[in-house]
Every structure is written in C-alpha cells, then in structure tokens.
C-alpha cells in the first residue's frame, strides 16, 4: 500500500512536466502551503471531499483570474499533511495559468492520504505548522507573501503547542497563517483556531459545517489568500456608487480649463481695437481746402473694434484611482478594494456675453473599468452634459497691497452611466447590468493677486451631487438582487494657487501650481436595505500642476495634472485641453 501511494504521487508529479519546475529564486506573488489534517477523525470519504474541494478551487476560473491579476501573475503551492506525524505530499508547484492550475487540480485529486495517524491523540496542528514552515527555505520560488493554510476538524491534542509553532513560523518569515475548521460544534474548534492557530497579516479563520460544505468555503478562502484580502462578502453597488462619484467629479473637473485660466487671470482675447484702414481719396476731389483731401491722397480711416466672442474646445484625459478595502464586520463583510482606470473627453463651446460674463456648454464622456480585489470587475461607460456661467472682474479689490481680480463660476451637470458587472462567486461568475444617473451643482470663486510677474490667490468651492444606482438582479451562479442605492455628496474646497505668466518667442506660457483641502460632509457609513456601502474619504489633500500655452492669439493648449490623497482612496488625473476663439 505504501509503495502504491508513493508511485501514485510520483506519477502525478511527473505529469506536471515543466509546470512544477522553477528556477531557484523565481519570483511569485504568493507561496501557499496547504496544511491538511489527516488524523483519525478524518475518514476516507471525508478526506476525498477535502481533496475534491482543493482541486475544484484550482479548476475555478475565478482563481485563474485572481492569479493572473497579480503583479507577477504566478503563485507557488505545496501540500503538507499532518496527524501526529507530518509529510510533504506535493512539492512546490508553479501555477501561472489555467493549464497549470488544472494540472495541479489533477494532482490534488490523485494524492492519497499519507496514513500518518497513530494510536492515541493524533491532531498535531503545531507539528504540522512547523513542518509546513520548514518547506519554505528550500522552495525554488521566492515571494514577499508566504501563507500557511490550515484545514482541520479538531483541536491540538499532541505535539508542539499550536501557538508556539505559530509564533515560531511568523518569526521565521511566514507572513500569515489562516485556518478553516470543518465542524458543526458550538464554536470550540473555531475558537481554538482563532486563539492559537492563525496569525500574521490579515489572518482569518472560517468554518464549514460539514465536509460537504468544505468545497465552497475553501474556494472563498483560497481566493482571499491569492488576492491578499480578508474573507467576506460585499454588495457590488458599493463599488458602483464610489466609482460613479469619482468619475463624474473627474470628468467635470475644470471643463475648458476655465478655472485654470480664471485663476491665472487669462479670460481670452476679449474686445480688440484695430487701427483704421488706409485708403485713398477719390480722384474727383480737387481741392484740399477746408480740411478736404486732394484726390488720390492716402488717408487713415476711423479705428474699429472687433470681439471674437465664440470659443470651441475639446479635451482628452486619463484617470486612475485606487480605493482601499473597508471592513464593515471584520473578517466577514467588507466593501472590497478596487482600482478604476478610465479615459475621458469633452467637446464644447463657450460664448463671451460681455467683458465680465461667459456662458458655456459641453458634452462629457468616460470609458473605463473597475478591477475589484478577488477577480470581479465592472465595465463603465458614462455620458453627461454640462452648462456653466463664469464671471471675471479685473482689479476688483486691493489685497495685500496689490490689485486683485475676482472670479466666480457656477456649473450644472447631468450624468448617465452604464455599469456591466462580473462578480466572482463560489460557483463562477454572476453577471449584472445597471444604470446610474446624477445631478451635479458646483460653485467656485477666488481672488487673483498680482505681484510683479506672479499671480497668486485663494480659491474656494462647494459641490453638491445627488443621484442613484438603479436596482438590478444578477444572473448566473450566486446571483443577487440589489435595491436602488442613493448617491449623495457635499464637498467643500479651500485652496491656494500660484501662476507665473511669461511672454516667450513662441507665445504666452503660464505655469501654475495649486494645493487644496476638500471636506466631504456626507461622511458617515452608508447602508441601504442592510447593504453596507462603506464611507467616502472625509478629508482629501489635492495637489495640482499645469501649463497653459497661448501658442496663437486665437488658440491655446493646457496640460494639467491633479492628484487626490485621502485615507481610503488615492487618484491621479492628467488631461490635455485645447481651444480656439472665433
């Protein structure tokens, strides 16, 4: 029997071919050691259910996607079995695509119980942790994340105390020890795992009531370990709500560079007085008496005033944001972390009513994706319409002993979005589609103080957004119906800018830097119909820098960057805007 078991394992490992080979020092995103209880309390049927659960997890497309989303796109896995004794039954194996993951699953299904049980107490969790930790130094792979995943149905009854082995393993370089308990008792075994087995960064323990439930729980657990996030469940409208808030605010940010130019005192050419045209007096004019010109004499006509009141403009930009996970019930319910990447653009027109007032309108669009920790994602398409009015008065005040311009701007925007969701569940992917809509009202004002070649001054703003994510129902395994979710935001801004207008041989150039503090008044935790939606950043530091180039009397370009830094999120946006007057 022993020889047959060894032959089976060797044949399985040989079938892995190049997959199990790794050059010494090969980097992977994660080294994961599966530590499995095979003590006397685990019969053959239960053992088979456990191994089927492990195999099914690595056959799952959600696991393949999660591995592929890693920085390197590869993990290394081994398996150690324990009772009173221990044995490594699967050596370190590279998993970097669906083929290698399915091959590992085949090995897992064919790996027999190592028969490590002995008479008397035989659940040596501490022995198992020590044996698992000992396999890491000799691994042909390296990683900053090294996890031991313990599966069992009992408390430590023999050998090294679990807490001692845990502390030694963590001190020796293991990043995290997690646990999954197979038990329907009153929580004694789970409490033992939580108190004495698990430890390290983001450690957690979970449970499956029966061995039949193990397959579902181990999939969730392995997904959490691959992605580096705590186990839990989440409502996907939470991500949609936050993504919509960010994309709308970024898309409507400084349409037509009007705020950039107002802060720099650059409103456009305005009225222009041209000298009169030169013409010749008619030849029929004979005299020259009484101030009359002789025929054929060159004369200068009266001056004329022109005003190019219209302007067309367009922009294209890139936006990226990273939002951290928010734990609602630690270890159980959370709003997951996610990244948003989007391309946005605007086209529009502006009209100067007079020397002080301008009116404008623009179409705003965004196309992007939110990648959610754990393999879920959302495809995003947003389209909006904005109208605005700007006021500028030169030398309106004296401030700090220098003349100061005053400017103000009011914008209204309506936005509609389509969000197609793919959420990872234990059974596969649940798909959904929903729409969003929102109204944005934003007011900004500031002073421009002129000191020599520098224009600087404070500015402030207040923005209100109100909208909703429509109710929708997913399709596919694990589908969920979600209620309508409100989108509400009230944000104040206080900032200061410095601009440096310069005349060059190639036109006027205006570098600008600015810094601001934003405060969100709708800053409490949000729940809808029992769904935890997390909370936005209460305070955000905003830094911006840009360059305006008036390369033609009637045309300009602005390249602008803005970064936003909060406790929960960080985002960066860069945009190129161009405009021409006529």
């Amino acid at each position: 029997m022993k020889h047959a078991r060894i032959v089976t394992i060797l044949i399985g490992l040989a079938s892995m071919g190049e997959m199990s080979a790794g050059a010494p020092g090969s980097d992977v995103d994660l080294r994961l050691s599966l530590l499995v209880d095979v003590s006397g309390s685990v019969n053959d049927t239960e053992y088979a259910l456990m191994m089927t659960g492990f195999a099914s997890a690595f056959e799952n497309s959600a696991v393949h996607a999660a591995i592929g989303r890693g920085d390197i796109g590869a993990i290394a896995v081994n398996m150690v079995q324990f009772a009173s004794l221990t044995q490594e039954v699967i050596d370190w194996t590279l998993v970097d695509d669906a083929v290698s993951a399915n091959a590992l699953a085949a090995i897992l299904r064919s790996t027999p119980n190592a028969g490590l049980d002995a008479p008397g107490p035989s659940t040596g969790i501490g022995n198992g942790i020590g044996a698992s930790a000992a396999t890491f130094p000799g691994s042909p792979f390296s990683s900053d994340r090294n996890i031991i995943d313990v599966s069992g149905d009992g408390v430590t009854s023999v050998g090294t105390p679990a807490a001692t082995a845990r502390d030694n393993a963590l001190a020796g370089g293991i990043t995290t020890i997690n646990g999954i308990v197979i038990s329907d008792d009153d929580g004694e075994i789970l409490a033992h795992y939580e108190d004495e087995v698990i430890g390290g960064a983001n450690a957690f323990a979970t449970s499956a009531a029966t061995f039949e439930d193990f397959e579902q729980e181990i999939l969730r657990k392995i997904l959490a370990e691959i992605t580096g996030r705590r186990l839990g469940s989440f409502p996907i409208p939470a991500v949609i709500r936050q993504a919509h808030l960010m994309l709308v605010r970024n898309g409507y940010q400084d349409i037509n560079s009007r705020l950039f130019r107002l802060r720099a005192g650059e409103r456009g050419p305005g009225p222009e007085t041209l000298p009169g045209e030169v013409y010749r007096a008619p030849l029929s004019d004979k005299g020259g008496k009484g101030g009359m010109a002789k025929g054929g004499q060159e004369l200068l006509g009266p001056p004329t005033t022109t005003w190019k009141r219209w302007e067309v403009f367009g922009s294209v930009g890139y936006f990226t944001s990273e939002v951290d996970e928010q734990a609602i019930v630690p270890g159980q319910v959370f709003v997951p972390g996610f990244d948003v990447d989007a391309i946005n653009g605007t086209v529009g027109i502006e009209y100067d009513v007079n020397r002080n007032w301008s009116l404008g309108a623009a179409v705003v669009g965004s196309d992007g994706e939110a990648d959610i920790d754990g393999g879920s994602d959302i495809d995003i398409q947003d389209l909006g319409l904005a109208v605005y009015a700007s006021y500028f008065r030169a030398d309106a005040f004296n401030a700090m002993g220098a003349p100061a311009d005053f400017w103000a701007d009011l914008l209204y925007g309506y936005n509609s979005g389509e969000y197609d969701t793919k959420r990872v569940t234990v059974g596969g992917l649940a798909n959904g589609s929903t729409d969003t809509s929102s109204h944005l009202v934003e007011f900004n004002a500031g002073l421009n103080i002129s000191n020599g070649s520098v224009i600087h001054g404070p500015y402030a703003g207040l923005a209100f957004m109100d909208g909703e994510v429509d109710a929708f129902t997913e399709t596919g395994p694990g589908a969920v119906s979600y209620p309508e979710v409100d989108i509400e935001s009230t944000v104040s801004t206080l900032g200061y800018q410095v601009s440096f207008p310069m005349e060059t041989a190639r036109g006027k150039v205006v570098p600008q830097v600015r810094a601001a503090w934003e405060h969100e008044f709708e800053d409490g935790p949000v729940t809808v119909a029992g769904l935890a939606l997390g909370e936005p950043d209460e305070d955000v530091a905003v830094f911006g820098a840009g360059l305006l180039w008036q390369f033609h009397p009637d045309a300009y370009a602005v390249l602008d960057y803005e970064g936003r830094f909060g406790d929960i999120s960080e985002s960066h946006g860069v945009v190129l805007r161009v405009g021409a007057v006529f």
Side-chain angles (χ1 to χ4, degrees), residues 143-156:
S143 178
D144 293 332
R145 298 179 56 231
N146 302 296
I147 296 178
I148 297 175
D149 182 334
V150 187
S151 304
D153 68 344
V155 300
T156 302

Side-chain angles (χ1 to χ4, degrees), residues 264-446:
E266 299 289 328
R267 278 202 68 238
E272 181 181 7
T273 300
L274 301 176
E277 295 183 0
V278 175
Y279 69 98
R280 293 182 181 275
L283 293 175
S284 59
D285 291 342
K286 303 292 186 180
K289 297 180 180 181
M292 299 296 293
K294 292 183 179 181
Q297 181 178 345
E298 289 188 351
L299 299 177
L300 181 65
T304 59
T305 299
T306 64
W307 191 350
K308 297 178 179 179
R309 296 174 179 263
W310 291 96
E311 178 180 338
V312 291
F313 56 85
S315 72
V316 61
Y318 171 72
F319 173 79
T320 182
S321 180
E322 180 177 343
V323 181
D324 293 337
E325 172 192 307
Q326 298 181 61
I328 308 301
V329 179
Q332 295 299 320
V333 179
F334 62 84
V335 176
F338 63 95
D339 300 330
V340 174
D341 292 282
I343 300 295
N344 56 60
T346 63
V347 291
I349 193 165
E350 182 176 298
Y351 176 72
D352 286 345
V353 178
N354 54 39
R355 293 176 181 268
N356 302 112
W357 288 95
S358 298
L359 302 176
V363 176
V364 182
S366 297
D367 187 278
E369 182 178 28
D371 291 328
I372 306 170
D373 294 336
S376 304
D377 63 69
I378 305 173
D379 290 328
I380 303 169
Q381 289 184 322
D382 271 349
L383 186 65
L385 175 66
V387 293
Y388 61 86
S390 299
Y391 175 80
F392 182 89
R393 183 178 176 185
D395 300 334
F397 305 100
N398 283 320
M400 302 172 63
D405 306 333
F406 172 75
W407 60 267
D409 183 87
L410 180 66
L411 176 142
Y412 165 77
Y414 173 76
N415 190 270
S416 177
E418 296 181 2
Y419 289 69
D420 296 326
T421 67
K422 298 181 182 68
R423 184 174 60 87
V424 173
T425 73
V426 294
L429 288 177
N431 298 292
S433 182
T434 187
D435 296 329
T436 61
S437 60
S438 62
H439 302 268
L440 173 69
V441 177
E442 187 174 272
F443 176 76
N444 292 278

Side-chain angles (χ1 to χ4, degrees), residues 445-481:
L447 295 177
N448 299 333
I449 303 166
S450 298
N451 290 112
S453 60
V454 177
I455 296 176
H456 61 96
Y459 60 93
L462 193 61
F464 305 89
M465 188 187 299
D466 183 75
E468 60 273 333
V469 181
D470 290 347
F472 70 102
T473 299
E474 297 172 322
T475 60
V480 174
S481 293

Side-chain angles (χ1 to χ4, degrees), residues 231-250:
L231 187 64
S233 58
F234 70 91
I236 206 162
V239 178
I240 297 174
R241 173 179 171 272
Q242 292 189 52
H244 183 83
L245 277 167
M246 291 187 298
L247 285 176
V248 170
R249 292 213 54 194
N250 178 75

Side-chain angles (χ1 to χ4, degrees), residues 219-243:
L219 171 61
R220 296 174 65 227
K221 187 166 182 286
I222 288 175
L223 276 171
E225 289 164 339
I226 292 172
T227 60
R229 299 293 176 174
R230 290 189 296 274
L231 187 64
S233 58
F234 70 91
I236 206 162
V239 178
I240 297 174
R241 173 179 171 272
Q242 292 189 52

